[in-house]
């Protein structure tokens, strides 16, 4: 959680940020906290679980969170789209669906935690 957060359940201003940005940071920290708590301790097999043939795996959805952040940061902070190399690296996680079901398998929780941390 962000420094200075008293409770992840209260959306409020956060010291060091403008009022609205602080509220956004608190909400994003809460979403991160609850997501990580929900998947804590899952095995690679559990991360690869498919509810049905059209679903995305838990692992792919975790990777998707990281991939979307990479794309938004490039657009927001650098005013650009993803490079060819970035599209190749993040494409399956951005697209999800069949491509992710094919390419994103057998990875341990540490892999997804590393993506989310970076």
């Amino acid at each position: 959680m962000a420094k200075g957060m008293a409770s992840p359940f209260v959306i409020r201003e956060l010291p060091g940020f403008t009022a609205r940005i602080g509220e956004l940071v608190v909400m994003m920290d809460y979403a991160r906290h609850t997501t990580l708590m929900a998947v804590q301790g899952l095995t690679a097999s559990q991360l690869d679980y498919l509810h049905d043939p059209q679903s995305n795996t838990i692992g792919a959805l975790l990777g998707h969170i990281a991939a979307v952040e990479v794309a938004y940061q490039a657009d927001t902070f650098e005013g650009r789209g993803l490079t060819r190399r970035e599209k190749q690296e993040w494409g399956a996680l951005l697209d999800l669906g069949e491509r992710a079901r094919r390419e994103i398998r057998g990875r341990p929780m540490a892999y997804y935690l590393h993506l989310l941390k970076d």
Side-chain angles (χ1 to χ4, degrees), residues 3-24:
K3 186 177 179 182
M5 281 189 56
S7 169
F9 306 110
V10 177
I11 298 172
R12 64 187 194 317
E13 294 181 24
L14 190 62
F17 297 95
T18 63
R20 301 309 283 176
I21 297 298
E23 291 171 356
L24 177 62

Side-chain angles (χ1 to χ4, degrees), residues 56 64 67-68 87 90-100 103:
N56 292 294
H64 183 70
V68 168
K87 286 179 186 175
W90 294 100
L93 291 170
L94 284 169
D95 296 342
L96 292 175
E98 183 57 38
R99 181 175 176 195
E103 296 179 21

Side-chain angles (χ1 to χ4, degrees), residues 34-50 56-63 106-113 116:
T34 57
T35 299
L36 293 177
M37 292 302 296
V39 300
Q40 184 177 9
L42 292 182
T43 65
S45 176
Q46 290 168 320
L47 290 165
D48 286 346
Y49 171 75
L50 278 174
N56 292 294
T57 66
I58 295 167
L61 292 171
L62 290 172
R107 297 169 187 193
M109 178 62 77
Y111 168 80
Y112 299 105
L113 293 177
L116 291 165

Side-chain angles (χ1 to χ4, degrees), residues 66-85:
V68 168
E69 185 167 336
V70 167
Y72 276 118
Q73 285 183 10
D75 187 40
T76 301
F77 301 122
E78 299 175 30
R80 65 173 180 84
L82 295 178
T83 65
R84 181 177 292 194
R85 183 190 61 76

